[in-house]
Amino acid sequence: MLAYVVRRLLLVAVVVWGAATLAFVLLQLSGDPLNLLLPLDATPEVRERYRASLGLDRPVLVQYGVYLLNAVQGDFGTSLRSAAPALGLVLERMPASLLLAGAGLLFAVVIGVPAGVVAALHRGKPLELGVMSLALLGQSIPVFWLGLMLILVFGLQLRVLPISGYGSAQHLILPMIALGTFTAAAIARLTRNGVLQELRSDYVRTARSKGAHGRRVVYAHALRNAAIPVVTVIGLQLGTLLSGAVITETIFAWPGVGRFVLIAVSQRDFPVVQASVVVFAALLAFVNLIVDISYLFLDPRVRYA
Amino acid sequence: MRRLVRGPTAVVGLAILAAFVLTAVFSPVVSPYDPTLQNLEARLSPPGSEGHVLGTDRLGRDILSRILYGSRLSLLIATSAVLISLVLGVTLGMVSGYVGGWVDDVLMRLADVQLSMPFILLVVAIIAALGASLTNTILTLGITGWVIFARVVRGEVLSLKERDFISAAHALGSPHWRIMLLHLLPNVAGALIVVATLQMATMIIVEAALSFLGLSGVPPEVPSWGQMLADGREVLFFGGWWVATFPGVAISLVVLGINLYGDTLAEALDPRSR
């Protein structure tokens, strides 16, 4: 168990290093950073002096080494636009993003799991068809369009909810639904399949033959085992949720990392882009680690050597 | 083969997909207007206005025609991106599973690194570095899409290569490339078709998202569903609800069709579900 966790932590380190390297390569691909820093009519002498002062005149490998050394210490340089440390700017906006992603995930679980269970228990009936059709639809609607439609209906037509900004629970509702719908649909489909599979299994038949009540069989036996694939998907969906958050934040003017990084990309503010790529990678790698460890508690058959 | 078109979901899915492809091919024939034709007298006409079933946008362009033409861009980007990821992912996944060892380790860690970044952020960062253009968008989507193909192929190859027919081929002196191409590839084809189909949906959505964010590098005069949504967002607050609504319906419908058909394919090609 301990050895497994240590190995997985090493993998997290590899992933973060890989992400940092990718971010460095991207900056190299994007052309001369001086073009972003100096006015185009700067004289060659000024350009060279500036280049030397930033260490950009050194060989690429040396620059890479310096970059990694600084990155390990949490230094990704200063934002080209605000002169504040890039990492600080990204981390400052992380709570808002995590709040949105967490709310989206909660919405997805609260809607998706019961929907999946209901569908499985009404196998072959119209209710199942209805729930599963909705789930398929939910997986087909792009988050940015759903966001616009929610704004249109609840913000502009009915005028019941705020359509942008941050600060109150009301502000969270529309972005949460926009972001969580796809995941809710994915969870509903998976829960249905999982529960159906467990209901067919031997131990459920045994429990039934021993006189366990229908509801007890579902809740005490089948649901618990169906939870394993659902937890996997929740882990995998966090990537989707954070991806979706980038767009959702933009639509609802949510002050998170996603919106911030898109603005940074359009302004070619690469220290900020680099810092956020690394932060996202570290976050997701940790989440996946936690998901894998949580199997240990969900499924006693799983033993990590 | 009949399994592939049986059942109402398969029929509906296939019908939507066929309509999508036919629309893309024949958009000049079926569109009532030139999609770039501006008519300032008919700006923001609501749906059902004379001659404009789905209304017009800020510049008086016919929404229906723009949606019909927009299917071309979605189809072009999605198919080319999926083809690139298919070739790349199958090659890397095959090598990873067949060769094993450190090659496998390096490739799979690379996959882990990539999967631990939000896809849209990764794509946006690469396009920002390379510069936005249609070619760069297709290349970026194609190259970043390799992971899922590689993982599927690798998984299948790992179990296939222990089987007797592969040992037999070895014993008969088949070179490695021949085993991979003639014995392994046909056996993973079924799984690949399913993944490729479902990836089409992902790519259509990501392309629309990029266009929506103004990062796809598609020239503004080319009708694109994502670009139409971005236009629609701006007039949403002035009562022009139809500009953003209908392109989104088009995207959702096509993705729904792909999902419906992909589900059927997955069931038909999965021997365990028979």
Side-chain angles (χ1 to χ4, degrees):
Chain A
M1 168 78 191
L2 187 69
Y4 173 75
V5 173
V6 169
R7 214 170 59 222
R8 284 300 312 261
L9 277 173
L10 277 177
L11 183 62
V12 170
V14 169
V15 163
V16 174
W17 168 65
T21 305
L22 184 84
F24 181 80
V25 172
L26 285 180
L27 181 61
Q28 297 300 315
L29 285 177
S30 71
D32 190 346
L34 280 188
N35 294 339
L36 307 171
L37 292 165
L38 289 175
L40 286 175
D41 54 356
T43 58
E45 296 85 62
V46 171
R47 289 180 71 94
E48 286 323 304
R49 218 170 50 227
Y50 207 68
R51 191 187 298 281
S53 77
L54 289 174
L56 293 173
D57 53 346
R58 285 180 280 180
V60 174
L61 271 181
V62 174
Q63 289 187 42
Y64 175 63
V66 171
Y67 161 80
L68 278 188
L69 216 61
N70 289 335
V72 168
Q73 299 164 38
D75 179 7
F76 288 89
T78 48
S79 159
L80 304 184
R81 301 288 149 178
S82 75
L87 184 66
L89 289 172
V90 170
L91 292 179
E92 241 166 59
R93 287 160 177 82
M94 210 51 180
S97 287
L98 288 179
L99 176 67
L100 179 58
L105 187 62
L106 189 72
F107 173 81
V109 172
V110 167
I111 302 287
V113 171
V117 174
V118 164
L121 297 184
H122 293 82
R123 171 135 226 219
K125 299 199 184 115
L127 190 59
E128 188 206 18
L129 187 69
V131 170
M132 284 302 108
S133 305
L134 273 182
L136 204 61
L137 199 64
Q139 282 201 305
S140 306
I141 297 176
V143 50
F144 40 94
W145 185 64
L146 183 59
L148 290 182
M149 292 299 106
L150 289 171
I151 288 177
L152 182 65
V153 174
F154 294 98
L156 299 175
Q157 302 288 324
L158 302 174
R159 295 183 178 277
V160 286
L161 286 168
I163 54 173
S164 74
Y166 175 70
S168 75
Q170 275 95 17
H171 284 100
L172 187 55
I173 298 178
L174 292 185
M176 172 186 82
I177 299 175
L179 183 57
T181 298
F182 180 91
T183 305
I187 291 180
R189 296 181 57 170
L190 213 86
T191 307
R192 169 190 165 271
N193 294 349
V195 172
L196 278 182
Q197 201 177 346
E198 296 301 332
L199 284 178
R200 267 187 248 122
S201 63
D202 293 340
Y203 70 88
V204 165
R205 194 157 14 123
T206 312
R208 282 227 167 98
S209 64
K210 284 167 74 181
H213 216 271
R215 194 167 288 179
R216 200 186 134 68
V217 170
V218 172
Y219 291 104
H221 299 281
L223 254 189
R224 230 179 105 183
N225 287 291
I228 296 164
V230 174
V231 170
T232 316
V233 161
I234 291 173
L236 293 174
Q237 286 291 327
L238 259 161
T240 315
L241 278 170
L242 286 170
S243 252
V246 173
I247 293 167
T248 314
E249 286 174 6
T250 307
I251 290 176
F252 292 95
W254 188 265
V257 185
R259 179 162 163 267
F260 184 61
V261 74
L262 277 185
I263 296 171
V265 162
S266 64
Q267 297 177 334
R268 308 174 63 73
D269 188 348
F270 270 94
V272 169
V273 177
Q274 288 179 323
S276 48
V277 163
V278 174
V279 167
F280 269 119
L283 186 68
L284 273 181
F286 263 113
V287 168
N288 288 336
L289 174 67
I290 292 167
V291 169
D292 280 356
I293 292 177
S294 68
Y295 290 152
L296 286 175
F297 300 98
L298 280 169
D299 189 348
R301 286 169 301 189
V302 176
R303 285 278 174 272
Y304 295 122
Chain B
M1 204 51 209
R2 225 179 332 143
R3 300 182 65 90
L4 298 183
V5 286
R6 216 169 48 184
T9 46
V11 173
V12 174
L14 206 56
I16 295 175
L17 277 182
F20 171 54
V21 175
L22 288 176
T23 306
V25 174
F26 293 108
S27 32
V29 184
V30 291
S31 298
Y33 292 87
D34 175 345
T36 57
L37 180 73
Q38 304 184 3
N39 178 358
L40 294 182
E41 277 152 38
R43 296 172 65 208
L44 284 179
S45 312
S49 311
E50 205 186 329
H52 299 289
V53 184
L54 299 183
T56 60
D57 68 6
R58 240 181 342 176
L59 297 169
R61 297 175 294 194
D62 183 53
I63 304 246
L64 176 62
S65 306
R66 291 181 68 73
I67 289 179
L68 294 174
Y69 266 93
S71 61
R72 299 190 138 186
L73 186 73
S74 291
L75 185 65
L76 169 76
I77 293 185
T79 27
S80 14
V82 168
L83 278 179
I84 295 174
S85 2
L86 181 82
V87 172
L88 194 64
V90 169
T91 312
L92 294 179
M94 186 75 80
V95 169
S96 194
Y98 189 78
V99 177
W102 67 268
V103 177
D104 185 36
D105 279 339
V106 169
L107 286 173
M108 288 303 112
R109 289 304 81 75
L110 201 62
D112 287 337
V113 169
Q114 197 192 309
L115 287 181
S116 46
M117 257 169 273
F119 189 61
I120 201 92
L121 176 62
L122 179 70
V123 169
V124 161
I126 297 178
I127 290 179
L130 297 178
S133 74
L134 183 60
T135 320
N136 283 347
T137 298
I138 291 176
L139 282 178
T140 307
L141 291 182
I143 292 171
T144 46
W146 71 281
V147 176
I148 182 158
F149 289 101
R151 285 201 163 180
V152 168
V153 171
R154 174 183 175 270
E156 299 273 322
V157 166
L158 279 183
S159 72
L160 282 171
K161 74 174 180 182
E162 305 300 331
R163 300 259 297 272
D164 290 342
F165 72 99
I166 299 295
S167 322
H170 270 304
L172 291 170
S174 284
H176 294 305
W177 64 264
R178 202 183 147 86
I179 291 179
M180 287 193 240
L181 220 58
L182 291 185
H183 299 290
L184 292 173
L185 193 58
N187 280 295
V188 297
L192 285 176
I193 293 171
V194 177
V195 177
T197 309
L198 295 174
Q199 275 296 96
M200 287 280 294
T202 309
M203 291 307 172
I204 286 176
I205 289 186
V206 174
E207 181 274 315
L210 287 174
S211 293
F212 178 70
L213 298 170
L215 294 166
S216 67
V218 175
E221 66 275 10
V222 176
S224 117
W225 292 345
Q227 175 62 43
M228 292 178 76
L229 281 179
D231 290 345
R233 183 190 181 198
E234 287 180 21
V235 295
L236 204 58
F237 302 97
F238 309 117
W241 58 269
W242 55 89
V243 185
T245 303
F246 296 121
V249 172
I251 301 172
S252 306
L253 202 62
V254 170
V255 173
L256 181 69
I258 294 174
N259 285 340
L260 282 171
Y261 193 59
D263 276 4
T264 319
L265 272 182
E267 265 172 47
L269 295 169
D270 181 3
R272 278 163 300 184
S273 72
R274 279 183 200 165

